[in-house]
Amino acid sequence: MITLYDLAFEDDRRPSPFCWRAKFALAHKGLDFTSVPMGFTEKEKIAFADSKTVPVIKDGEKPVKDSWAIAVYLDDMYPERLLLKSEMGRSYARFINGWTDTVVNAAIFPLIIGDLYDRVRPEDKEYIAESRGARLGTKDFASFQTQAREKGLAAFRASLEPARRALREQKFLSGAEAAYPDYILAGTFMWPRTISPLELLEKDDPVYSWRERMLDHFDGMARKAKAA
Ligand SMILES: N[C@@H](CCC(=O)N[C@@H](CS)C(=O)NCC(=O)O)C(=O)O
C-alpha cells in the first residue's frame, strides 16, 4: 500500500498543485493509496523522507520525495501504464513541469494569495504570513491580491497560450489520451479551485474545456475534492 503525504488547509481542503500531480499519477496507474494530511508546520511527519515539502510518498518502506521524482519512480516500479512515454515524451513532460512551475504557478500565486491565507489552518497562519510575506514584501495579502487581479488575470490567461494552441488541435496536452503533462497543469488548476472563488478561465477557452475533462477524469476524482 502506498501512503501519500498531502498538504491540508482548513476544512481539510487539499490545494497543493504538486500533491495533485502525485494523486493524478497514482490514479493513472490504478494504484490505491492512503492520504495523510499534513499542515505547513507539521514537517516532522515527512522527516523520514528527509523532505521539507510535499508530496512525499511511502511505498512499503521506500520513501520518495518531489512530484517529478514520484512520477519517475512510479513508471520504474509500475511500468504498465506509463506516465512519461518515450524519451521525447519524458522531455516534453519535463518542459511542461518547468513551464508550469515558473510561469503558470508564478502567475496564479498573486491572484489567490489573499484567499489562500484566509483558508490556511489557524496554526499555520503565522508561518505563511512570515514566509510568503517575505517573498511578496508585504503581509497585507488581501490588498496585494486585489491589486494583482487588476492586470494579473489577463497576464495569467496570456501565459496559457502554449497550452491553448495545443488544446485547439488535440484533446489532451499529451495527445488523444491524458498523461503526465496533463496531470502537471491540471494539478495547478486544483490549487485555485480548492481555495479561491476566483474564476480564472473564460468558458470559450479551450483550456476551460480541457480542465472540465481533467475534473471528470478518473471517475471525477478532482471534481469530488472540496472546492472553494
Ligand atoms: N519541487 C517540489 C515542490 C513541492 C512544494 O513546493 N510543495 C509545497 C506545497 S504546494 C510545500 O510543501 N511547501 C512547504 C512550505 O512552504 O513550507 C515538487 O515538485 O514536489
Side-chain angles (χ1 to χ4, degrees), residues 1-4 22 24-34 57-64 69-85 183:
M1 174 58 98
I2 295 178
T3 307
L4 168 74
F24 279 116
L26 288 161
H28 178 98
K29 296 282 182 192
L31 293 167
D32 280 339
F33 63 96
T34 310
I57 63 164
K58 195 163 155 196
D59 186 6
E61 287 309 306
K62 168 86 180 156
V64 188
I70 290 170
V72 170
Y73 169 83
L74 291 177
D75 266 359
D76 285 347
M77 296 302 290
Y78 306 95
E80 208 147 288
R81 289 196 67 210
L82 290 173
L83 292 156
L84 306 159
K85 298 169 200 169
Y183 307 145

Side-chain angles (χ1 to χ4, degrees), residues 6 9 13-24 100 104-105 108 112 116 156 182-196 200-201 210-212 214-217 220-228:
D6 188 11
F9 274 35
R13 292 167 193 285
R14 305 295 179 93
S16 164
F18 305 104
C19 292
W20 275 102
R21 291 178 195 179
K23 282 180 263 191
F24 279 116
T100 305
V104 185
N105 286 359
I108 291 180
I112 60 166
L116 182 154
F156 164 71
D182 296 275
Y183 307 145
I184 295 168
L185 191 61
T188 275
F189 276 106
M190 292 308 289
W191 184 28
R193 181 180 167 85
T194 48
I195 54 171
S196 173
L200 288 167
L201 299 174
W210 164 85
R211 190 184 60 182
E212 290 294 299
M214 296 311 297
L215 287 168
D216 290 336
H217 225 60
M221 175 184 77
R223 200 182 288 284
K224 283 177 201 157
K226 186 176 276 181

Side-chain angles (χ1 to χ4, degrees), residues 4-20 22-23 35-43 45-46 52-56 116 119-121 124 127-128 132 190-191 194-195:
L4 168 74
Y5 292 79
D6 188 11
L7 187 66
F9 274 35
E10 207 169 20
D11 299 329
D12 203 29
R13 292 167 193 285
R14 305 295 179 93
S16 164
F18 305 104
C19 292
W20 275 102
K23 282 180 263 191
S35 147
V36 175
M38 199 201 86
F40 281 104
T41 53
E42 291 183 308
K43 302 256 193 297
K45 287 190 181 173
I46 49 172
K52 291 196 164 31
T53 60
V54 283
V56 163
L116 182 154
R119 288 164 181 81
V120 162
R121 299 184 324 165
D124 293 337
Y127 172 79
I128 289 297
R132 275 47 174 184
M190 292 308 289
W191 184 28
T194 48
I195 54 171

Side-chain angles (χ1 to χ4, degrees), residues 44-185:
E44 70 281 357
K45 287 190 181 173
I46 49 172
F48 72 92
D50 192 25
S51 185
K52 291 196 164 31
T53 60
V54 283
V56 163
I57 63 164
K58 195 163 155 196
D59 186 6
E61 287 309 306
K62 168 86 180 156
V64 188
K65 61 177 174 182
D66 187 88
S67 58
W68 179 264
I70 290 170
V72 170
Y73 169 83
L74 291 177
D75 266 359
D76 285 347
M77 296 302 290
Y78 306 95
E80 208 147 288
R81 289 196 67 210
L82 290 173
L83 292 156
L84 306 159
K85 298 169 200 169
S86 80
E87 195 192 340
M88 194 192 281
R90 188 182 171 123
S91 304
Y92 170 57
R94 200 191 291 281
F95 176 83
I96 297 287
N97 212 58
W99 169 68
T100 305
D101 287 358
T102 60
V103 178
V104 185
N105 286 359
I108 291 180
F109 178 65
L111 304 177
I112 60 166
I113 179 60
D115 294 338
L116 182 154
Y117 184 66
D118 288 346
R119 288 164 181 81
V120 162
R121 299 184 324 165
E123 58 270 43
D124 293 337
K125 276 204 194 291
E126 195 184 327
Y127 172 79
I128 289 297
E130 292 303 324
S131 59
R132 275 47 174 184
R135 200 188 292 175
L136 297 175
T138 177
K139 289 183 190 169
D140 183 358
F141 299 131
S143 304
F144 189 92
Q145 173 180 281
T146 304
Q147 271 186 8
R149 285 183 186 181
E150 282 170 21
K151 286 190 179 151
L153 190 55
F156 164 71
R157 288 175 181 163
S159 81
L160 292 173
E161 192 56 24
R164 189 172 294 120
R165 288 188 186 193
L167 293 167
R168 273 197 198 106
E169 305 297 323
Q170 58 202 51
K171 207 168 164 193
F172 295 102
L173 291 177
S174 312
E177 285 178 23
Y180 200 61
D182 296 275
Y183 307 145
I184 295 168
L185 191 61

